[in-house]
Amino acid sequence: MAALVAGGSGTASAADNLPPRQPLVQDLKTGTKPCATGDDKAYVSQSPTLSAVLYDPEEDNQPVEANMVKGEFEAWWTDADGVEQRRTYTTIEQSSGSRQQWRMPGDIPVNTVVSWRVRANDSKAVSPWSSEGEGSVCEFVYDDVSPEKATIASPEYPEEVLWVDGVGVYGHFTMDSPSDDVVAYTYGFIGGPYGTVQPERPGGAVTIPFLPLRSGPDRLTVRAIDRAGRSSGESGYFFYVKSGRAPVAQWKLADAAGATSAAAETGADARAGSGVTFGGPAPDGTGLTATAHLDGSDQAFLTPDAPAVDTGGTFAVSAWVRPDRTDRDMAVVSQGANGSTGVRLGLRARDAGPVWSFTVGGQEVSGGAPETGEWAHVLGLYDAETGLAQLYVNGHETGTKTQAAPAGATDAFRIGQGPGGSAWQGDIGDVRAYDRVVVPAGAAELGYRKPRLLGHWSLETASDGVSPEQGGGAPLKLGSGATIHRGPDGSCIPDLDPDCPDVPYALVGDGHLQLDGETAYAATEQPVVDTADSFTIGAVVRLADSEPAHPMTVLSQAGEHTDAFRVRYQPSEHAWQLVMPEKDEVGASEIVVAQIEAADGGEGQGHRLAVVYDDATDTIKLYLDGYTNAAATATFPNGWHASGALQVGRAHTGEGWSEYLHGDVDEVQAYAGALRDADIGGLGWGTDPCLC
């Protein structure tokens, strides 16, 4: 052992060289794989690079050159003739703590166990071999053969069969390569999902579930991966998915007034208790013509006197509902398990406020905010493949998916009532039961209410100060200073005819509204959109100034004291804003969302602005040229009814009319209901994007 002597500063220094440290197994690698032996040995697809981190003791740090080490590698194997072969390699000296490498020669035999070890050398002494004492030899096998392609099979979706059930029905796909050293399969479907799965043992098959989310042709591609990381060629498997199958039971509840049972679209008719009245109102935009009203009594129910869902598998239940009250628990649909709750979709009254709920086997998912007198579409889904229960409200997933184990719910299916009472009080329509997954797009479609066009003002012409609505509805009356600009009539071409007037083109079509920024505006005589409910409104606008001197409003609709909404350009922020006061009060707090955009300065074809208020999700969005973003989206839980007229080019504040717009406006379109994102891009082009 080296002796230590005291240095002049009182610190200890090495009197003699200390040997390098024994390399640690965890610091050794075969290629990128850790050192291992026996059943855990590495398999490689090419002659590997061996590496090790080598250390000289810190006491040798003085002088610096004493802290340099080199690696002495040694590898050996037994060849086909039973003769041991050995190879050695010494690296150049490197700093202590460096990873030192040996790229193995190209004559390494295939399918042969190669062992290796390493030691450190500081030119004065060597460390013990990495295999000595508590260390270990490292082993690897060089594999130069790729695995064979995998076969693919699915009992639910046979290959090349037209067409097979279907959206919302799981398929199970088995991948199996004949090669016995396959340890993983990579796979991918068109549009996803993509992934990697491992068999339980090398060479084993793997089965994966797949839930089709859309109808049409699909293709699964698979590659087998062996222990060395070598990949097989690609296997492909074409299959064809049908649309989701119809409900196993459905009652629209649109039966004639006085009926004593509900006719089934599928399944058995449902007899009605005396607390059920047919001929009630239907939610707009759904295609329903009528619903049933339930009075909340013990006779407020409908039942086919048989189960509608098989709780031993995947199922879903849904309905359109409008509660008359939200202060007590009420069931929309249920199916009991020997008198107890097996499946229940309904409303729960809670101290923090009512919620929609879906219960499966005692586990509940809840979310959303039921409102008295407001329509909602509710859907509960249990996925037997994942064991998860989930809830959709108005086509949007809400609450947290919950693991559930459904009981054997074999009691009769009941509409408007659950075990132990909790009868529904309000309207119910279009009750459905499915034996498959209702996929997110399907849930969104079931909960979608198609908007209704309220007005489309193309602003092409004006007669006696009035510009007509395209469908003959309420016109826009032009205020003082507002004019209709007409584009060129096409009778001549200025570039070819010096006498032809150079008339600017309209924003859209043949004309647009011009506003002077001082007194000019246009307005209807009555309200256009019900701002307490879902609505969409849009326009094309071009600002005349590149640096507006004050905020300028393009669209608004006023209450008694302030606007329910206004869309304006705020020059201090260089942004278009949607401003939504929370109450019809002077000085009420406001929710503001925005999209940054430079002012037009009278150039270009303007911008397409749109506002969507979705009462079902309590969300407001501002779109600019067909797009929105997080900064242009906000929660707005309580819309309020504005009794004032639709205004184009000005706003109503506590000080009266202000924020007059200086610029051009075209293609004002208003809808009852929330347009979907995909439809917004069609606003402002002279057509109805959703054919509403």
Side-chain angles (χ1 to χ4, degrees):
M1 178 175 293
L4 295 178
V5 297
S9 62
T11 60
S13 62
D16 299 299
N17 178 72
L18 297 176
R21 296 178 185 174
Q22 180 182 9
L24 300 176
V25 171
Q26 59 263 35
D27 289 335
L28 312 185
K29 287 187 176 182
T30 303
T32 60
K33 298 180 178 181
C35 172
T37 187
D39 291 341
D40 297 325
K41 60 182 170 289
Y43 284 79
V44 297
S45 60
Q46 59 184 2
S47 184
T49 296
L50 311 181
S51 67
V53 179
L54 304 178
Y55 294 94
D56 201 32
E58 292 184 4
E59 291 87 345
D60 277 351
N61 285 352
Q62 296 176 356
V64 174
E65 58 269 17
N67 195 227
M68 303 292 286
V69 291
K70 54 189 173 183
E72 296 181 356
F73 288 86
E74 184 177 53
W76 64 96
W77 64 89
T78 301
D79 66 18
D81 297 326
V83 178
E84 183 182 87
Q85 302 291 329
R86 284 187 178 264
R87 300 286 188 274
T88 60
Y89 177 76
T90 301
T91 68
I92 62 172
E93 281 191 329
Q94 299 181 48
S95 299
S96 173
S98 300
R99 179 168 291 278
Q100 306 204 26
Q101 298 180 333
W102 175 24
R103 177 63 186 267
M104 294 287 289
D107 64 347
I108 298 300
V110 300
N111 300 321
T112 300
V113 177
V114 178
S115 303
W116 68 275
R117 61 183 182 174
V118 65
R119 65 183 179 183
N121 186 332
D122 67 359
S123 298
K124 295 182 180 180
V126 294
S127 73
W129 287 103
S130 58
S131 58
E132 293 182 26
E134 296 183 356
S136 173
V137 166
C138 304
E139 294 179 336
F140 69 86
V141 174
Y142 168 35
D143 180 358
D144 68 343
V145 178
S146 297
E148 295 186 48
K149 288 183 178 182
T151 60
I152 308 171
S154 170
E156 297 90 355
Y157 294 96
E159 188 173 19
E160 301 287 2
V161 175
L162 298 172
W163 292 81
V164 183
D165 235 358
V167 171
V169 176
Y170 278 95
H172 298 83
F173 294 81
T174 299
M175 302 168 280
D176 190 8
S177 169
S179 300
D180 61 6
D181 61 346
V182 168
V183 295
Y185 296 91
T186 62
Y187 68 89
F189 295 87
I190 295 176
Y194 309 94
T196 301
V197 288
Q198 291 81 35
E200 292 184 359
R201 62 184 185 282
V206 174
T207 299
I208 59 170
F210 171 68
L211 180 66
L213 301 179
R214 55 171 180 80
S215 62
D218 208 332
R219 183 172 187 255
L220 169 62
T221 57
V222 174
R223 290 181 181 271
I225 310 297
D226 68 14
R227 291 173 295 191
R230 302 185 73 93
S231 171
S232 71
E234 183 178 271
S235 302
Y237 185 94
F238 282 97
F239 58 102
Y240 299 86
V241 182
K242 289 200 306 188
S243 298
R245 57 180 176 242
V248 293
Q250 180 183 5
W251 302 270
K252 286 190 175 180
L253 303 184
D255 305 86
T260 58
S261 66
E265 302 296 310
T266 54
D269 291 353
R271 65 180 175 88
S274 59
V276 178
T277 304
F278 292 103
D284 292 337
T286 62
L288 297 177
T289 58
T291 60
H293 185 269
L294 283 68
D295 65 10
S297 69
D298 60 1
Q299 290 297 305
F301 69 88
L302 300 100
T303 179
D305 292 313
V309 296
D310 177 5
T311 57
T314 294
F315 63 88
V317 290
S318 69
W320 280 100
V321 293
R322 183 170 69 167
D324 286 347
R325 59 191 300 179
T326 58
D327 60 349
R328 66 174 175 84
D329 292 354
M330 297 193 296
V332 175
V333 298
S334 70
Q335 188 169 301
N338 296 321
S340 63
T341 301
V343 176
R344 178 188 182 278
L345 177 66
L347 181 153
R348 295 285 192 194
R350 294 181 175 168
D351 291 341
V355 293
W356 298 109
S357 75
F358 179 51
T359 303
V360 177
Q363 298 298 312
E364 183 182 73
V365 186
S366 61
E371 296 181 47
T372 299
E374 291 288 333
W375 284 105
H377 187 268
V378 289
L379 183 150
L381 167 65
Y382 174 71
D383 185 338
E385 188 78 30
T386 63
L388 292 172
Q390 59 193 107
L391 174 66
Y392 289 86
V393 177
N394 294 315
H396 301 274
E397 186 177 357
T398 187
T400 302
K401 294 178 183 177
T402 302
Q403 284 287 334
T410 57
D411 295 351
F413 188 78
R414 298 178 77 84
I415 300 170
Q417 199 174 76
S422 66
W424 182 262
Q425 185 174 336
D427 302 309
I428 300 181
D430 196 22
V431 176
R432 302 185 183 206
Y434 293 87
D435 64 349
R436 62 174 175 86
V437 172
V438 177
V439 299
E445 192 63 32
L446 287 172
Y448 181 61
R449 298 176 66 177
K450 186 176 182 179
R452 175 169 53 89
L453 181 63
L454 299 173
H456 182 179
W457 296 271
S458 58
L459 299 167
E460 304 277 293
T461 61
S463 177
D464 296 328
V466 172
S467 187
E469 193 275 327
Q470 278 193 357
L476 280 170
K477 183 177 180 180
L478 276 56
S480 174
T483 58
I484 296 294
H485 166 77
R486 294 284 296 174
D489 60 12
S491 61
C492 59
I493 301 175
D495 291 342
L496 301 179
D497 184 354
D499 296 325
C500 184
D502 189 5
V503 179
Y505 284 95
L507 291 179
V508 182
D510 296 328
H512 63 236
L513 177 67
Q514 281 189 326
L515 302 172
D516 64 9
E518 297 178 1
T519 61
Y521 70 95
T524 59
E525 291 187 351
Q526 300 294 328
V528 172
V529 297
D530 180 0
T531 54
D533 203 350
S534 299
F535 70 88
T536 302
I537 191 163
V540 181
V541 60
R542 178 175 61 195
L543 297 174
D545 305 310
S546 57
E547 295 183 8
H550 58 78
M552 295 183 177
T553 292
V554 59
L555 295 170
S556 68
Q557 188 169 306
E560 183 179 353
H561 301 289
T562 189
D563 292 318
F565 74 89
R566 67 180 168 272
V567 183
R568 71 181 182 188
Y569 189 78
Q570 177 55 268
S572 63
E573 302 291 335
H574 303 285
W576 285 102
Q577 295 179 336
L578 167 61
V579 181
M580 300 279 287
E582 295 187 279
K583 295 180 180 180
D584 188 8
E585 298 176 357
V586 175
S589 59
E590 299 173 332
I591 303 297
V592 181
V593 297
Q595 294 235 43
I596 294 175
E597 183 65 40
D600 303 286
E603 301 294 329
Q605 291 302 302
H607 294 286
R608 285 159 177 81
L609 297 172
V611 171
V612 173
Y613 168 52
D614 189 343
D615 184 44
T617 60
D618 293 333
T619 303
I620 56 172
K621 295 180 180 180
L622 174 64
Y623 293 82
L624 177 68
D625 295 325
Y627 296 96
T628 188
N629 55 47
T633 304
T635 298
F636 192 77
N638 297 305
W640 50 272
H641 179 72
S643 58
L646 174 66
Q647 304 287 328
V648 180
R650 66 179 183 176
H652 183 259
T653 64
E655 300 177 355
W657 297 108
S658 62
E659 298 188 1
Y660 284 89
L661 185 134
H662 185 204
D664 306 316
V665 181
D666 209 348
E667 290 297 316
V668 177
Q669 293 168 275
Y671 295 82
L675 260 65
R676 292 180 284 199
D677 288 351
D679 294 327
I680 290 295
L683 291 174
W685 300 100
T687 59
D688 176 8
C690 70
L691 300 178
C692 301

